[in-house]
Structures are given as C-alpha cells and as structure tokens.
Amino acid sequence: GENVEQHPSTLSVQEGDSAVIKCTYSDSASNYFPWYKQELGKRPQLIIDIRSNVGEKKDQRIAVTLNKTAKHFSLHITETQPEDSAVYFCAATTGNQFYFGTGTSLTVIP
Amino acid sequence: DAGITQSPRHKVTETGTPVTLRCHQTENHRYMYWYRQDPGHGLRLIHYSYGVKDTDKGEVSDGYSVSRSKTEDFLLTLESATSSQTSVYFCATGWGQGYEKLFFGSGTQLSVL
C-alpha cells in the first residue's frame, strides 16, 4: 500500500512568519492529496486539497504545491497567526483508501 | 454539530468485552469510514463502506467488524476489546466529486483496561 511520510513532526514559528510542512508518498498512482487541520481536542477538518493534474493551489494564506516526479507535496502557510496553531495532516489516495502522514504540530508564537 | 454524530463520546471498558461504536450521518453521503488516531501514527483506516451492506477492510482491520444496514448508520464493533485498541475513533463521510473529501465526526475516546 501507500506510504506517506511527513516532516517536521513539530514546528514553531513567530507570528507573521511562514510555515512549510512537507510530505512524500510512495505510490505513483496516488492522485489526490488533501491537508487536514486538527485543533486540540477537535475533529480533523479539510483545509485544502490538490489533484495530481495540478501543480499548485492557493486559498488565501494557505497554498499547496505538488511535485509528481519527486512524489512530494507541501503545505505553505503565510503570515501565520496564533489561530493557525494545530496539528496538520497530509494524506494521499488513489481511490477510497486514504493514507495519512503522522502529523505536524504547529505552534505560532505571538 | 451538523452532519455526523458519534456515540458514545467516551467509553471505558474491560479487556475481553465487546464494544460497539455508532456513527450517524444526516448528509445522505454514500461513503462512510472508521479511523483510529494514535500518537505517532496519524489516522489509520479500519473499515469503510461504499453503500448499504457494502463494506471493505482498511489497513488496520484486525479485531474489528462493521455493519451498515441503513445509509445513515455505520457501526464499528470490537468483538473482544484489547488494550491495544485504546484509541480515539473517528467516523467520517466522503463527499465531493469522487467522494474523497472527508468530513469527520467529533470522535470517541475508548479506553480498554
């Protein structure tokens, strides 16, 4: 099956700085790559996603990039705010089985 | 919270006892999933369903069974709970173009003593 690796496991940034989280995947057939945000004690929530036929997607302060050749994709958060503090999970899928990364705990320091 | 209700929210049980977790959705979504979340492992798929009475195994299905007799309900059963099944369990439904966008329930914290 698919193997998704996520780095770093923890990340601290100053408010206003950018944060980057990276994921690699193993199955070249994976074609959909979502990112989920999970605040402490809450459910994971979809924040952005990208399909394999697209190289980059932006939504306000967040963006995702995909490099199919290298089999990696990244989440970029600009102008970070304290409310961005959470655990972020990447995932990859070829169909209905999702394979998640192990998560990145992001702390934004005011 | 609209859409998905998980019950119970918290449960403590003893090793060897059967446990059933319930997921109820009001969105009429075709796909439903059960995940477990453990530190260092992220979210791992236990079982999923693509319709009434249509289910399939995920990557960590051993020791678990599921049933879906109605579109809105997806049950997860631990036949004989073990301490390794202590976890947070999330139900999710799939929506969107290819049903790939997951909407999660609030989770069930299960402790097996």
Side-chain angles (χ1 to χ4, degrees), chain B residues 3-113:
Chain B
I4 299 179
T5 303
Q6 289 186 234
S7 60
R9 292 295 311 278
H10 301 88
K11 186 170 182 67
V12 180
T13 191
E14 294 184 348
T15 298
T17 60
V19 177
T20 295
L21 308 183
R22 179 175 182 252
C23 179
H24 178 80
Q25 60 137 333
T26 58
E27 304 299 315
N28 200 35
H29 288 160
R30 177 183 172 191
Y31 282 83
M32 297 186 75
Y33 305 84
W34 277 107
Y35 284 89
R36 61 177 289 173
Q37 184 173 35
D38 305 287
H41 290 278
L43 292 150
R44 292 181 292 174
L45 181 64
I46 305 171
H47 282 279
Y48 69 99
S49 169
Y50 45 95
V52 174
K53 297 186 180 178
D54 292 323
T55 64
D56 206 349
K57 297 179 180 180
E59 60 181 314
V60 290
S61 60
D62 287 348
Y64 302 94
S65 62
V66 291
S67 65
R68 193 169 178 199
S69 58
K70 297 185 290 185
T71 298
E72 57 266 36
D73 291 326
F74 193 31
L75 304 181
L76 176 70
T77 297
L78 290 66
E79 304 291 346
S80 177
T82 68
S83 58
S84 65
Q85 294 176 313
T86 292
S87 187
V88 179
Y89 291 85
F90 284 99
C91 174
T93 63
W95 62 280
Q97 176 184 332
Y99 307 103
E100 72 279 327
K101 298 181 190 290
L102 299 179
F103 179 74
F104 286 88
S106 298
T108 294
Q109 172 67 63
L110 176 67
S111 297
V112 183
L113 305 179

Side-chain angles (χ1 to χ4, degrees), chain A residues 2 32 34 36 38 41-46 49 51 57 87 89 93 95-103, chain B residues 1-2 31 33 35 37 40-43 45 48 57-59 90 97-106:
Chain A
E2 174 67 277
Y32 176 71
Y36 287 82
Q38 186 178 27
K42 304 286 187 178
R43 73 186 77 193
Q45 292 186 297
L46 178 67
D49 56 9
R51 298 186 187 278
K57 183 177 179 180
V87 178
F89 293 97
T93 182
N96 298 111
Q97 291 223 22
F98 290 80
Y99 295 89
F100 284 83
T102 50
Chain B
D1 293 315
Y31 282 83
Y33 305 84
Y35 284 89
Q37 184 173 35
H41 290 278
L43 292 150
L45 181 64
Y48 69 99
K57 297 179 180 180
E59 60 181 314
F90 284 99
Q97 176 184 332
Y99 307 103
E100 72 279 327
K101 298 181 190 290
L102 299 179
F103 179 74
F104 286 88
S106 298

Side-chain angles (χ1 to χ4, degrees), chain A residues 15-19 61 77-81 84:
Chain A
E15 182 177 357
D17 287 349
S18 296
R61 295 187 297 108
I77 307 174
T78 59
E79 300 173 14
T80 53
Q81 301 169 4
D84 294 328

